């Protein structure tokens, strides 16, 4: 990350976060983000810093911007190689700048392609089988949204529905918010071209799904 400086230190809190860096590199997040967004507008905290900070906080159980208040910014800054980590107001502003570009879909697609270009732990082809399924997530916010049946709670609740695509080993390739009232069959119709683009070559792919995706018209 540009502008970062790691100085000798002892008894650094959150130093264990460094163990996550090899895995973070393997995801391609920073590389893909640079390709999609380029950089953030001028400011002390750049794109890499904002993303790494978000990942480390998420790993510590504080994925929301407000979670930054539970860290000493100087202590977390040492792990980021900075005088201090970004605080809530800065995080919100920087994330808003990213959101305003409207390129979140491009980032998801780039990350999916990066993942599928790799091979599994034993060298297996990750796209030999791709699984697509829908998941209901109970909504805890204050907006009024429609209700969906929750199999966990056994009754309809305000909720959003997500469509997940996973690779042959069960690892996530991407997740998208489903359209309101969409069936898995309609989501498959929408996402199959994106999966084909993410694969990026002529490898044959078998797409697995449960009965919610069954549709003679779709298969035809």
């Amino acid at each position: 990350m540009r502008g970062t400086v790691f100085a000798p230190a002892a008894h650094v809190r959150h130093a264990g976060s460094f163990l996550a860096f090899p895995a973070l590199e393997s995801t391609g997040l920073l590389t893909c983000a640079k390709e999609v967004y380029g950089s953030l507008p001028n400011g002390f905290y750049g794109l890499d810093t904002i993303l790494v900070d978000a990942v480390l906080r998420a790993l510590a159980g504080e994925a929301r911007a407000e979670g930054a208040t539970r860290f000493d910014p100087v202590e977390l800054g040492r792990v980021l190689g900075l005088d201090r980590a970004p605080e809530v107001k800065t995080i919100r502003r920087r994330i808003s700048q990213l959101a305003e570009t409207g390129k979140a879909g491009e980032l998801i697609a780039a990350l999916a392609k990066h993942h599928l270009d790799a091979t599994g732990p034993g060298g297996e082809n990750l796209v030999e089988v791709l699984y697509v399924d829908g998941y209901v997530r109970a909504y805890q916010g204050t907006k009024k949204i429609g209700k969906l049946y929750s199999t966990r709670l056994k009754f309809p609740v305000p909720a959003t529905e997500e469509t997940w695509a996973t690779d042959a080993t069960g690892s996530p390739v991407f997740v998208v918010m489903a359209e309101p009232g969409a069936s898995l069959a309609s989501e498959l119709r929408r996402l199959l071209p994106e999966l084909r683009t993410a694969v990026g070559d002529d490898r044959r792919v078998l797409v697995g799904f449960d009965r919610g995706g069954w549709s003679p018209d779709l298969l035809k």
Side-chain angles (χ1 to χ4, degrees), residues 1 151 212:
M1 295 180 288
T151 54

Side-chain angles (χ1 to χ4, degrees), residues 158-174:
T160 58
E161 191 162 17
E162 300 169 349
T163 303
W164 285 73
T166 60
D167 64 25
T169 67
S171 296
V173 176
F174 65 73

Side-chain angles (χ1 to χ4, degrees), residues 1-6 21 30 34 37-53 77 79-84 86 94 97:
M1 295 180 288
R2 187 179 62 182
T4 58
V5 177
F6 294 98
F21 281 20
L30 301 183
K34 287 179 182 176
Y37 295 108
S39 62
L40 284 167
N42 290 337
F44 182 75
Y45 298 104
L47 179 62
D48 282 359
T49 299
I50 291 297
L51 293 177
V52 173
D53 170 73
V79 180
L80 297 172
L82 301 170
D83 293 336
R84 57 193 298 116
R94 288 311 220 177
Q97 290 169 342

Side-chain angles (χ1 to χ4, degrees), residues 113-136:
K113 186 175 188 311
H114 175 87
H115 179 78
L116 295 178
D117 281 345
T119 57
E124 61 266 50
N125 178 9
L126 294 179
V127 301
E128 184 176 11
V129 180
L130 296 177
Y131 300 93
V132 179
D133 202 359
Y135 295 91
V136 172

Side-chain angles (χ1 to χ4, degrees), residues 12 15 20 24 51 61 67 76 82-83 92 100 103 106 126 130 135 148-149 166 186 188 192 195 205 216:
V12 178
L24 174 59
L51 293 177
L76 186 55
L82 301 170
D83 293 336
R92 284 177 172 168
E100 288 168 1
K103 295 182 177 180
E106 293 181 37
L126 294 179
L130 296 177
Y135 295 91
L148 295 170
Y149 182 80
T166 60
S186 64
L188 280 165
L192 282 175
L195 283 171
V205 180

